[in-house]
Amino acid sequence: MKIKICGMTRPEDVRTCENAGADFLGFINIKRSKRFVELEDVVEMRSLMKDKNRAVLVLEPEGIEEALFAIEKTGIKILQLHSLSSYGIKYLKWRDCFKTCPLEEDLRIVRAVGISDELSDEKKREIEEFARVCDALIFDYEVEGKSGGTGRQIPIETAVEASKIAKNIKKSIKTVLAGGMNTERIKAHEKILNEHFDCVDVNSGVEDTPGIKNPLKIRDLFNKLVKI
């Protein structure tokens, strides 16, 4: 199971997280987020990474052109999207590969799916629809139609159900669990997480305040996960 640390806002946190062993680092370019960073700052922080291919750009674009601009501006080829339909995502991947990148560097799309305590039939269909066109799905707690940044935890049984639905549609799909993830929750459910998820997304669980990571919490997280 891989670990993504999201909400990078400072160069020192990028260095700390990568040195600690983070598999992916997330940069949030969504203005409603408390951890919003401008694309220029994303470019600067990504330049400090030893492995720039581990950068994830978190977006909520109004349209495909906005997403393409962010790709070209930052050079990041892993997008975590909190908007765009399944049709928009298919067209985005086609446009990106056709216009800007060689086939071996295809864009990878991680689509956020907001869920709460239970899965409605409509939500199950949404998971199936995005699983067909995306490389990965990230499940985060949804409040008033918006996911991400709430710090609230999805019941583990509901999260597992969502992951099973996605993997039943496409075996190659990667699933990521977010929403109030911290060292204690990961350790408490390590067997289930390893069995049903490919990655966990940690954000507020290693922070002092939004966007300000705590080096001791980060090191504690990875020290305790060595045994997983």
Side-chain angles (χ1 to χ4, degrees), residues 2-5 16-25 183 202 206 216-227:
K2 298 182 182 299
I3 305 292
K4 170 178 168 251
I5 306 293
T16 297
C17 290
E18 192 171 30
N19 289 337
D23 296 288
F24 302 101
L25 300 183
T183 304
V202 182
V206 291
L216 295 179
K217 291 181 180 180
I218 292 167
R219 295 189 185 102
D220 181 62
L221 170 68
F222 286 97
N223 287 339
K224 289 183 177 178
L225 292 184
V226 169
K227 298 179 182 179

Side-chain angles (χ1 to χ4, degrees), residues 182-201:
N182 53 37
T183 304
E184 290 71 27
R185 190 178 202 215
I186 296 171
K187 288 296 292 182
H189 299 292
E190 60 182 357
K191 183 177 180 181
I192 293 174
L193 292 172
N194 273 304
E195 182 177 353
H196 296 286
F197 295 91
D198 301 279
C199 182
V200 294
D201 182 292

Side-chain angles (χ1 to χ4, degrees), residues 9-100:
T9 64
R10 306 187 303 172
E12 56 265 42
D13 293 337
V14 170
R15 296 189 187 96
T16 297
C17 290
E18 192 171 30
N19 289 337
D23 296 288
F24 302 101
L25 300 183
F27 302 90
I28 303 175
N29 184 243
I30 299 176
K31 289 189 176 181
R32 64 180 171 87
S33 172
K34 296 177 182 178
R35 302 167 182 87
F36 168 78
V37 286
E38 298 283 359
L39 293 179
E40 291 78 7
D41 296 322
V42 174
V43 172
E44 180 180 351
M45 286 188 283
R46 181 176 180 258
S47 71
L48 302 175
M49 295 178 64
K50 298 173 185 177
D51 186 351
K52 296 175 178 55
N53 292 324
R54 297 188 177 197
V56 180
L57 185 59
V58 184
L59 299 174
E60 195 173 58
E62 293 184 2
I64 295 168
E65 294 301 328
E66 183 180 335
L68 285 170
F69 174 81
I71 295 168
E72 295 176 1
K73 178 75 174 180
T74 64
I76 295 177
K77 304 301 290 186
I78 306 177
L79 292 192
Q80 178 180 316
L81 295 176
H82 288 254
S83 62
L84 296 187
S85 67
S86 59
Y87 295 103
I89 289 171
K90 285 195 292 185
Y91 186 60
L92 172 62
K93 295 186 78 170
W94 177 81
R95 280 286 305 275
D96 181 69
C97 288
F98 182 74
K99 291 182 64 177
T100 64

Side-chain angles (χ1 to χ4, degrees), residues 115-154:
I115 59 181
S116 51
D117 295 333
E118 297 180 350
L119 296 179
S120 64
D121 289 339
E122 181 181 1
K123 185 60 64 174
K124 291 176 183 178
R125 289 191 292 270
E126 180 183 343
I127 293 170
E128 292 173 345
E129 182 178 353
F130 283 123
R132 291 186 176 96
V133 300
C134 295
D135 301 286
L137 298 183
I138 181 168
F139 302 113
D140 205 341
Y141 202 94
E142 183 177 65
V143 177
E144 296 180 352
K146 297 290 185 180
S147 61
T150 69
R152 296 178 64 175
Q153 297 179 347
I154 301 167

